[in-house]
Amino acid sequence: MSLRFAHDFASFNLPTVIPGFGSLGALPEPATQLAIALDFRDTIRAQAVLGDSEVRLKDTLGNHEDLGTEHPVLRYLRLLLEAQGGPEVGFKITFRAPLAMSITGAVETNSAAVAIGILRALTSPSELFSNEFCEQALSSQVPSMPAVFAALEGGIWLSVTELGDKQLLGSSEVTDSKSGVTKLETNRQFGVTIFHPEFVLPASQMHMLLAHQNYSISALADLQRRSALASAFLKTEQDLPASLWAAEHAEIIALIDQISPGAAAMLTWLKEQGYAPSLAGFTQNIVVPGRVGGDTIAAAEAAGWQTRYCSLSGQGLKLISVK
């Protein structure tokens, strides 16, 4: 099958994805490769052009930001097109984030999913960009392929290497997959409360600062991996005890304090309130399992944090229009 562009323009939206829990959660190893799609969506508009590429970000508060011509989504588009022998074209892409600069850094963590979504929408036949093909083409470039497929298809995804721990997976049904990652089917409903700071350090910068610190993470990373898996498959969010969630360890909070004192202070305060907070991957956004009490929410918002409760999204990419 030969690739051709069937459309010049497409708009679609994707769920926000948490690509791991805790400051170690976005690392391929040894931290978790579990990713969860939340029903809180970013809208993407993309146009194939003969000229130069550009990527822009808009949010509902009226902020605009030029994300540059070397944004990761453009790199992934080039890699996928080259792998399929596609033509060299430019893309004008606009992200529309539902809160100021996107509540969980989805613009960065979803870049590969955005690239796949654009090509599936604009090209024919779309099957050329199957999960298996995309994983083969991008796996060496993407920190978390489960996060990519969670964005594209919704639900909970994890590395097949995690499937050996039957005790943590419980009765959840594992969908067969030829790919290196697997979707877990579960009817259990739960959600998370997300705390979004007033000032956001880019996820890429947080990743760089945290990943290059010289500290021992093996035991802690394994605890976080198991905790996140255990929490994800409990029956309801009311059954999410703090002892099972991948809460940030005191050593990690002390490290975060050197990078983002505000995030470290909020993590510490939420723990003191009886919750089990974690960073959402390599961002300053904080995720807490279940619903947080009204008094806690009010105090956090008075301190300049935005908050939102998000439920699990069972649906991934939603195509809005093509032309």
Side-chain angles (χ1 to χ4, degrees):
M1 292 187 290
S2 60
L3 181 152
R4 65 182 180 86
F5 276 77
H7 306 282
D8 295 325
F9 171 86
S11 63
F12 57 91
N13 60 41
L14 291 168
T16 285
V17 172
I18 297 181
F21 296 91
S23 53
L24 309 176
L27 285 172
E29 294 294 343
T32 181
Q33 277 286 281
L34 173 142
I36 295 178
L38 299 177
D39 199 16
F40 188 73
R41 311 181 76 86
D42 285 318
T43 299
I44 295 94
R45 296 164 60 90
Q47 183 177 6
V49 296
L50 294 177
D52 296 332
S53 296
E54 65 178 39
V55 182
R56 293 179 58 80
L57 173 66
K58 297 181 180 180
D59 67 36
T60 54
L61 300 182
N63 297 310
H64 298 255
E65 182 181 352
D66 185 353
L67 301 181
T69 58
E70 295 301 320
H71 191 276
V73 70
L74 298 175
R75 183 175 73 252
Y76 295 135
L77 282 165
R78 288 193 294 267
L79 286 170
L80 289 166
L81 284 172
E82 288 172 3
Q84 285 290 14
E88 291 187 12
V89 297
F91 295 92
K92 293 189 182 298
I93 302 166
T94 300
F95 293 94
R96 187 167 179 82
L99 279 182
M101 298 306 138
S102 190
I103 199 165
T104 58
V107 168
E108 297 195 36
T109 60
N110 279 12
S111 290
V114 168
I116 296 168
I118 289 172
L119 293 180
R120 285 181 179 176
L122 295 182
T123 64
S124 179
S126 61
E127 306 87 74
L128 288 171
F129 297 100
S130 65
N131 284 1
E132 291 77 17
F133 169 81
C134 291
E135 186 190 11
Q136 184 177 17
L138 298 179
S139 60
S140 64
Q141 305 289 324
V142 177
S144 173
M145 288 305 296
V148 174
F149 296 137
L152 289 170
E153 300 188 23
I156 303 169
W157 288 71
L158 76 164
S159 303
V160 294
T161 56
E162 303 288 354
L163 299 182
D165 201 327
K166 301 296 184 184
Q167 182 179 0
L168 290 179
L169 294 178
S171 60
S172 298
E173 180 182 349
V174 178
T175 302
D176 291 335
S177 173
K178 296 179 181 178
S179 175
V181 294
T182 298
K183 185 177 183 181
L184 298 179
E185 300 294 345
T186 176
N187 293 322
R188 301 169 183 175
Q189 297 299 311
F190 70 96
V192 298
T193 301
I194 295 177
F195 294 77
H196 178 67
E198 189 172 18
F199 171 76
V200 181
L201 192 69
S204 57
Q205 191 172 349
M206 283 287 286
H207 184 287
M208 178 181 67
L209 291 170
L210 286 169
H212 289 84
Q213 297 298 319
N214 187 20
Y215 57 92
S216 175
I217 63 173
S218 298
L220 175 61
D222 185 63
L223 171 63
Q224 290 189 325
R225 176 184 67 84
R226 290 171 177 269
S227 297
L229 282 169
S231 299
F233 303 109
L234 295 174
K235 290 183 179 179
T236 67
E237 64 181 37
Q238 285 72 32
D239 296 328
L240 290 169
S243 60
L244 285 179
W245 193 255
E248 294 290 0
H249 190 275
E251 177 187 2
I252 304 301
I253 293 179
L255 175 63
I256 294 167
D257 185 55
Q258 301 174 31
I259 301 167
S260 176
M266 179 59 74
L267 286 164
T268 301
W269 180 72
L270 285 169
K271 289 181 73 172
E272 291 171 350
Q273 301 305 305
Y275 297 103
S278 296
L279 293 185
F282 281 105
T283 72
Q284 293 161 282
N285 299 290
I286 294 171
V287 58
V288 173
R291 292 185 184 273
V292 171
D295 290 344
T296 302
I297 293 293
E301 291 181 348
W305 290 70
Q306 298 177 56
T307 64
R308 177 174 288 261
Y309 175 81
C310 300
S311 58
L312 177 72
S313 176
Q315 184 173 359
L317 184 150
K318 293 181 181 178
L319 186 64
I320 298 171
S321 66
V322 294
K323 57 186 178 181

